[in-house]
Structure formats: C-alpha cells, structure tokens
C-alpha cells in the first residue's frame, strides 16, 4: 500500500439566381479568438480525475462499465463542484483505494485477453500492447524509457496473461493516468499546450473521459492546433451521447440535483410521498435536459421557461395529470401558468424543502446563489436557524414573517424570503397547491439587488424574469468556467470572462455554444508558466 503514495504524488459558384437567404447569426466564438490574444491565461492547476471521470475513462479504455470509482472515497467539493483542483488532496486511504481498484480492473480485463490483446502471445505482442494501450491510457505516446519500464513489468509475470495484467495495473496507478499532466512548450511567460494535451482538455471538458481515436489521430497529424480545428472537434464531440452525460453531471451539481437521492419526507405530514419518487424526479429532469441540450436549441431560455417537461405513467399520476401510459418518459405539455422549466420541476422543489414543510429560505437562497451568483451575508451568531414549525392556523408566509421583522435577520432574509414566497404554490414535494390550511396562496415575490429587481407573482413569472437577466447569464458563464477549468476565476481572467459573456449573448444563450467558446479561450489553449 505504501508504494502507491509516492507514485501518486510524483506527478464562387455557378447556378440559378435565388432569393437572398436570411442573414445568419455570426459565429459567436469568432470574436474570442482575437479578444484576449496574448493575455495571461491564468493558473492551470494539475487536475486529478474525479470518480465520475475515472469511471468514464475506465469504461472507454477497457470497456469496463462497472463504475469501480464508486469504491473510492467521495470527491471533495469546492465552489459547488467536485472537480476543483485546489480541494482535491490525496490521502493514504485514497492511494490505497487506487491500488485496489486498479488490481480489480486489471483482473477483469485479462478475463477477455483475446479482445484486450488481439495478437498471438509473444514479447513482440506485449511490446505492441504497451505502445498502443499506453498511448490511450496516458493520453499521449510513451517515450522509449517508459516503454522499456513497462516491458520490465510485463516480464515479471509468470505467463503472458499475468504479465499483461501487471502492465494494465501499473498503467492505471501511474500519475500519468490519474492526473492530467501538462508540460507544453514554453513561450515567454506562457506555455502552449501540446496537441495531445489539447485533446485531453477537450475530452475531459466535454465528455469527462479520455480522448477517442479521432482526437488522438488529430493530435498525431497536427490537426488539432488551430482554434478553428479545435472548435470543429468540440462541435463533433457535443453531438456524441457522452457530452449529454457531462452536461447532466454539471447541472446535477450546479442546481443541487445530486441531492435528489437525499430527499426524505415525514410521511405523516407530507401525504403522498414515497422513496420511489426520487427516481421519477431524476428521470424527469434528465429527460428534460436531454431535450433542451440535444434535440432542442440548447438555450438557457428554454431551460428556464419551457412550458413542457417529461413524465411517465407514475409521475403523471403523481401530479394528477393525463399522460403517458408506460414507464418511458415522454414529453408532456404543461399548464404554462403553473410550470416553466427546471425551477418548477418536482425534484428540485423537493430538494429545496424541509422534510415536513416548504422552505422559502432555501428556495430563495438557491435562486440568489446558484442563478444570480450572489451570496447572502451569514446569519448573526445568535440567530435561530430552525424554521418555524408548521401551524394549521397559519400559512408559510405568515409563519416566516418574523424573519423580515427581526432586525438581526431582516438584511439577509430580505434577499431570500421574498423570492422563496413566489414558490409557495408548490408543496414540499413539488405538487401544485392553490391553498394552504384553507387559505389562498399568496405567491407575490420580489427580487432585490439584481438587474431584474422588482416584484413578481409566482415561480413562472420569476423564471421568465430570470431568463432576461444579465446577472443570470453571467452566473451561468461563471459556473461553466469554474467547472470547465477546475478553479475559480481570478483578475487575470477578466478578459476571458467578458469575451465568454459576449459570445454567450451572441449565440442566443446556447449552452452548447458556450462550451465551444470555452475551448477558444487563452485559459484553455495555454497555461501560465510555473
């Protein structure tokens, strides 16, 4: 076990005249190519694979879809994401886990030896395997010394299969596999990434996995060096189902959807809840994201305001709607006065509620932090953080009135509660309600300290309000930057952030095009010299 720790840390055409075509929208990423050229690209911390990335890489490298990374300790999170490089330390438990998982994966791999090594067992076959498998595992060709060392590992095996198993095991424990190591080519105070390093950045940004054969061939042939070539590869990759998995993973963390598994409700108070609903909640949101991001226009506007969602028979029955008859999630048009996009889906609304009541504070805080990127001030040291208990004589708004009356609480809760009250038409598990305790729901709300400050009525009106917000657009850009680069933005990134924002606007708020734009930035193409 001890041997794994230093290993981990060492690391003009002719034809008929036709009517003029409608003008096409200019390429939203073109301006980025010149906007910040030559600027400081900002830091580029060495990034270790997350469990999600590890599992995807093992699947694409060896065809092993058993998700072995789930055996590893949970990833530390920072700034809302599990891939922030500054939060990812290596403990002895993690190092030991990498060793054990590599042994298991290698053992399963050689059970299909003919597929893994499609040549007659021999030293020459082993040499070929080291060269080809090593290039895929380490995302670049091995040099002569590395190949020699791996062949020595092979020779320790008592037979061909054992030797190959040891080689696979060693490849998977090496820093070159577990970390995205970038040496690049120094150019003054900056370092230009190599084609293979660009290929790796592309694959983990868009797929959370290793480069495919097309990327590796493009790197070898020098066809992934210009920004136009990189953008072309990015668009190809975004059409692959693996990109959808990455997009879902981002939204699960950014929008707290990964907490759906943690939903627990007091069945005595919240009637109709059952644990099986969690899978239905997740299915709805993921099917919705697939529609918007893959089959739709991929826009933030659709994500926030679409008057439809996806349901199967179970979820439609839960909402009291006429819908699909089977288990497959199908598109369902909803009442546009009651539902709009992600914000009114049952999974998110359930997450942002207590086990026995709704929570205007959590729902308002979510909008402030996750969509407006503003953090309310912390509560005073002596503040009572427990919500008022349900009272059959009062509505939630009436019970929470003390937050805005108490001087110590008012400043903070003024930023959250008025937003949260706009969600009161949805109970603790996201069902529509027009009354509470026999009283009509008052869904009047207000946004303060924002470019869309003002009153609104209900979550649907709020969603349309947020879809027009420059603050929300900026927040989306900021979160994709943080997720894509595994770090927080800093002053050196000001030009990049501004260029990304303009590109996002120019694309019609297309999240797919925002991802392409990320690949055109100095922060993606270069790293700061250490």
């Amino acid at each position: 076990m001890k041997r794994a720790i230093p290993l981990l840390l060492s690391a003009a055409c002719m034809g008929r005249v036709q009517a003029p075509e409608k003008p096409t929208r200019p390429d939203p990423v073109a301006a980025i190519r010149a906007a910040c050229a030559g600027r400081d690209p900002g830091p580029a911390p060495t990034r270790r694979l997350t469990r999600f990335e590890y599992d995807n890489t093992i699947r694409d490298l060896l065809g092993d879809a058993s998700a072995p990374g789930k055996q590893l300790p949970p990833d530390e999170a920072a700034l809302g994401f599990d891939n922030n490089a500054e939060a990812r330390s290596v403990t002895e438990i993690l190092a030991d886990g990498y060793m054990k998982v590599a042994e298991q994966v290698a053992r399963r791999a050689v059970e299909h030896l003919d597929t893994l090594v499609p040549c007659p067992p021999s030293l020459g076959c082993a040499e070929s395997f080291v060269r080809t498998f090593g290039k895929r595992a380490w995302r670049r060709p091995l040099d002569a010394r590395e190949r020699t060392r791996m062949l020595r590992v092979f020779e320790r095996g008592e037979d061909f299969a054992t030797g190959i198993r040891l080689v696979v095991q060693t490849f998977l424990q090496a820093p070159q596999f577990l970390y995205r190591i970038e040496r690049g080519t120094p150019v003054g105070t900056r370092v230009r990434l190599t084609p293979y390093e660009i290929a790796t950045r592309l694959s983990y940004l868009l797929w959370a996995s290793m480069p495919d054969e097309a990327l590796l061939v493009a790197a070898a042939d020098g066809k992934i060096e210009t920004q136009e070539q990189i953008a072309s590869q990015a668009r190809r990759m975004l059409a692959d189902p693996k990109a959808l998995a990455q997009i879902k993973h981002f939204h699960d963390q950014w929008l707290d959807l990964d907490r759906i598994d943690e939903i627990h409700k007091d069945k005595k108070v919240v009637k109709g809840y059952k644990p099986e609903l969690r899978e239905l909640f997740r299915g709805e949101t993921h099917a919705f994201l697939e529609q918007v991001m893959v089959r739709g226009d991929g826009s933030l506007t659709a994500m926030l305001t679409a008057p439809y969602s996806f349901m199967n028979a179970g979820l439609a029955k839960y909402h009291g709607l006429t819908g699909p008859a089977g288990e497959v999630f199908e598109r369902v048009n909803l009442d546009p006065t009651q539902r709009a996009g992600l914000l009114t889906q049952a999974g998110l609304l359930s997450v942002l509620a207590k086990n026995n009541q709704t929570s205007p504070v959590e729902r308002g805080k979510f909008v402030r932090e996750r969509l407006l990127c503003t953090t309310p001030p912390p509560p005073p040291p002596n503040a009572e953080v427990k919500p008022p208990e349900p009272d059959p004589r009062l509505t939630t708004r009436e019970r929470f009135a003390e937050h805005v009356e108490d001087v110590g609480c008012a400043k903070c809760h003024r930023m959250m509660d008025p937003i949260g009250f706009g969600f009161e038409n949805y109970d603790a598990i996201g069902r529509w309600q027009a009354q509470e305790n026999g009283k009509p729901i008052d869904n009047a709300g207000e946004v303060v300290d924002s470019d869309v400050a003002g009153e609104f009525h209900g979550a649907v009106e709020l969603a349309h309000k947020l879809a027009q917000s420059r603050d929300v657009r900026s927040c989306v850009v900021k979160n994709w930057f943080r997720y894509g680069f595994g770090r927080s933005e800093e002053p050196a990134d000001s030009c990049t952030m501004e260029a990304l924002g303009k590109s996002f606007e120019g694309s019609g708020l297309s999240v797919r095009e925002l991802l392409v734009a990320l690949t055109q930035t100095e922060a993606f193409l270069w790293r700061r010299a250490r």
Side-chain angles (χ1 to χ4, degrees), residues 95-150:
D96 184 47
Y98 277 134
M99 183 178 67
K100 291 179 179 178
V101 169
E103 291 171 350
Q104 296 169 10
V105 171
R107 192 174 298 113
R108 286 195 295 271
V110 297
E111 291 176 357
H112 308 280
L113 190 60
D114 292 345
T115 302
L116 180 65
V117 191
C119 54
S122 64
L123 180 60
C125 179
E127 291 174 342
S128 176
F129 176 75
V130 165
R131 182 181 297 106
T132 57
F133 182 80
K135 181 179 180 179
R136 296 176 66 235
W138 287 2
R139 284 99 55 184
R140 61 163 177 78
L142 276 63
D143 61 32
R145 186 174 61 176
E146 291 168 336
R147 294 196 300 271
T148 297
R149 290 174 61 186
M150 283 298 176

Side-chain angles (χ1 to χ4, degrees), residues 357-414:
Q357 59 180 300
T358 63
S359 178
V361 176
E362 286 198 33
R363 291 172 175 178
K365 184 172 183 284
F366 169 85
V367 171
R368 288 239 68 102
E369 293 186 341
R370 301 305 174 96
L371 297 178
L372 293 168
C373 284
T374 56
T375 303
N382 60 343
E384 174 61 64
V385 296
K386 184 179 179 181
E389 289 296 322
D391 186 328
R393 301 165 302 174
L394 302 174
T395 65
T396 299
R397 182 186 288 267
E398 290 169 337
R399 290 189 291 110
F400 276 77
E402 63 186 58
H403 284 162
V404 293
E405 294 173 356
D406 187 300
V407 176
C409 300
K411 182 179 180 180
C412 177
H413 284 277
R414 180 175 174 271

Side-chain angles (χ1 to χ4, degrees), residues 317-329:
K317 181 180 179 180
Y318 167 75
H319 283 292
L321 301 173
T322 300
E327 296 184 1
V328 176
F329 281 83

Side-chain angles (χ1 to χ4, degrees), residues 41-50 53 76-89 180 182 201 204-206 246 250 253 477-490 493 497 518 521 523-524 530:
T46 301
R47 300 173 64 179
R48 177 168 55 83
L49 301 186
T50 66
E53 292 168 338
E76 304 92 339
L79 299 175
F81 300 110
D82 61 9
N83 64 354
N84 186 282
E86 298 302 322
R88 300 179 55 71
S89 60
R180 292 158 54 183
E182 298 172 340
R201 280 201 175 188
Y204 282 97
L205 169 66
L206 303 177
Q246 173 73 316
F250 165 82
Q253 295 183 79
V477 170
K478 182 181 295 186
N479 276 283
W480 267 112
F481 180 95
R482 291 175 173 180
Y483 184 75
F485 295 113
R487 65 175 177 86
S488 177
E489 67 286 353
E490 62 171 46
D493 301 308
M497 300 302 291
L518 282 172
T521 63
F524 182 86
R530 298 185 179 96

Side-chain angles (χ1 to χ4, degrees), residues 183-244:
R183 293 187 172 88
T185 303
V187 182
T189 60
R190 310 193 308 164
V191 176
R192 171 74 184 198
L193 300 184
T194 69
Y196 286 103
E197 291 165 353
I198 289 290
T200 297
R201 280 201 175 188
L202 267 175
S203 64
Y204 282 97
L205 169 66
L206 303 177
W207 288 345
S209 187
M210 59 179 280
D212 64 354
E213 187 63 21
L215 274 176
L216 292 175
V217 169
D221 294 345
K223 295 181 178 179
I224 194 172
E225 296 182 355
T226 70
Q227 288 168 291
E228 292 82 2
Q229 290 171 336
I230 293 169
S232 177
Q233 286 285 353
R235 292 193 172 95
R236 173 187 73 84
M237 296 169 69
L238 284 167
D240 189 284
K242 289 188 286 189
L244 177 61

Side-chain angles (χ1 to χ4, degrees), residues 3-19:
R3 61 187 171 86
I5 298 175
L7 184 62
L8 285 167
L9 298 178
S10 62
C13 61
M14 297 176 63
R16 295 180 301 171
V17 176
Q18 298 180 352

Side-chain angles (χ1 to χ4, degrees), residues 39 82 113 172 252 271 277 334 345 351 353 358-359 372 394 410 420 462 486:
R39 300 288 188 96
D82 61 9
L113 190 60
L172 299 186
D252 281 349
K271 305 297 184 181
L277 287 170
L334 302 174
Q345 291 181 1
V351 165
T358 63
S359 178
L372 293 168
L394 302 174
L462 173 63

